[in-house]
C-alpha cells in the first residue's frame, strides 16, 4: 500500500488549506485513515481520522471545529480541510493508514510522505 499526499503550503493565520491522500497498491483493508502532524521540535501527534467503512470522523481537541476529514470510498482517497489556521498548526503533516485504533502512531501500518504546513502570524 502506498499513500500519496498532496496539498499543504504557506498560509496566513485565519486562512485555509487542504490535503488529499490517495492510496494505491493492494486492496485497502485498514480500519481507518488518519492525519498526524509533527510540529518543529516536537513529537508526532494525532490530528484527525476517519473510519474507512463507516466514514465516521474523529478529531483531536486541538483541531475540532476547525478541521474536517472526509473520505471518498470509490477513489480510495481521504481529505483534510483545515480552516481558521493558527501559527501553532505549523507542522509537517502525514497521512496514515491505521488498524485497531487511530489516536496514536502505534496503530499506523502505513505512512504517506510528510507535507509542510506553515501558518504565519
Amino acid at each position: 500500500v502506498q499513500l500519496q499526499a498532496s496539498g499543504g503550503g504557506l498560509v496566513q493565520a485565519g486562512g485555509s488549506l487542504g490535503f488529499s491522500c490517495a492510496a494505491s497498491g493492494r486492496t485497502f483493508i485498514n480500519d481507518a485513515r488518519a492525519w498526524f502532524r509533527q510540529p518543529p521540535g516536537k513529537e508526532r501527534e494525532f490530528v484527525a481520522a476517519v473510519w474507512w467503512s463507516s466514514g465516521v470522523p474523529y478529531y483531536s481537541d486541538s483541531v475540532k471545529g476547525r478541521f474536517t476529514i472526509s473520505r471518498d470510498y470509490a477513489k480510495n482517497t481521504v481529505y483534510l480541510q483545515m480552516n481558521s489556521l493558527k501559527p501553532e498548526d505549523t507542522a509537517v503533516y502525514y497521512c496514515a493508514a491505521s488498524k485497531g485504533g487511530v489516536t496514536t502512531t502505534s496503530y499506523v501500518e502505513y505512512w504517506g510522505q510528510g507535507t509542510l504546513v506553515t501558518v504565519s502570524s
Side-chain angles (χ1 to χ4, degrees), residues 6-47:
S6 61
L10 172 66
V11 68
Q12 289 187 330
S16 299
L17 284 173
F19 281 113
S20 65
C21 180
S24 62
R26 67 182 178 91
T27 303
F28 202 89
I29 59 173
N30 300 90
D31 292 337
R33 300 274 288 279
W35 292 92
F36 287 78
R37 67 186 181 188
Q38 188 161 14
K42 296 184 178 180
E43 299 284 318
R44 197 169 298 188
E45 62 185 27
F46 170 75
V47 174

Side-chain angles (χ1 to χ4, degrees), residues 5-86:
S6 61
L10 172 66
V11 68
Q12 289 187 330
S16 299
L17 284 173
F19 281 113
S20 65
C21 180
S24 62
R26 67 182 178 91
T27 303
F28 202 89
I29 59 173
N30 300 90
D31 292 337
R33 300 274 288 279
W35 292 92
F36 287 78
R37 67 186 181 188
Q38 188 161 14
K42 296 184 178 180
E43 299 284 318
R44 197 169 298 188
E45 62 185 27
F46 170 75
V47 174
V50 59
W51 294 100
W52 195 248
S53 59
S54 67
V56 174
Y58 186 74
Y59 300 96
S60 68
D61 288 342
S62 61
V63 307
K64 196 175 297 181
R66 301 187 297 122
F67 290 14
T68 301
I69 189 170
S70 60
R71 61 108 167 89
D72 186 322
Y73 194 93
K75 293 182 178 180
N76 215 347
T77 299
V78 63
Y79 305 92
L80 184 69
Q81 178 63 36
M82 304 181 291
N83 298 327
S84 302
L85 282 161
K86 305 174 182 179

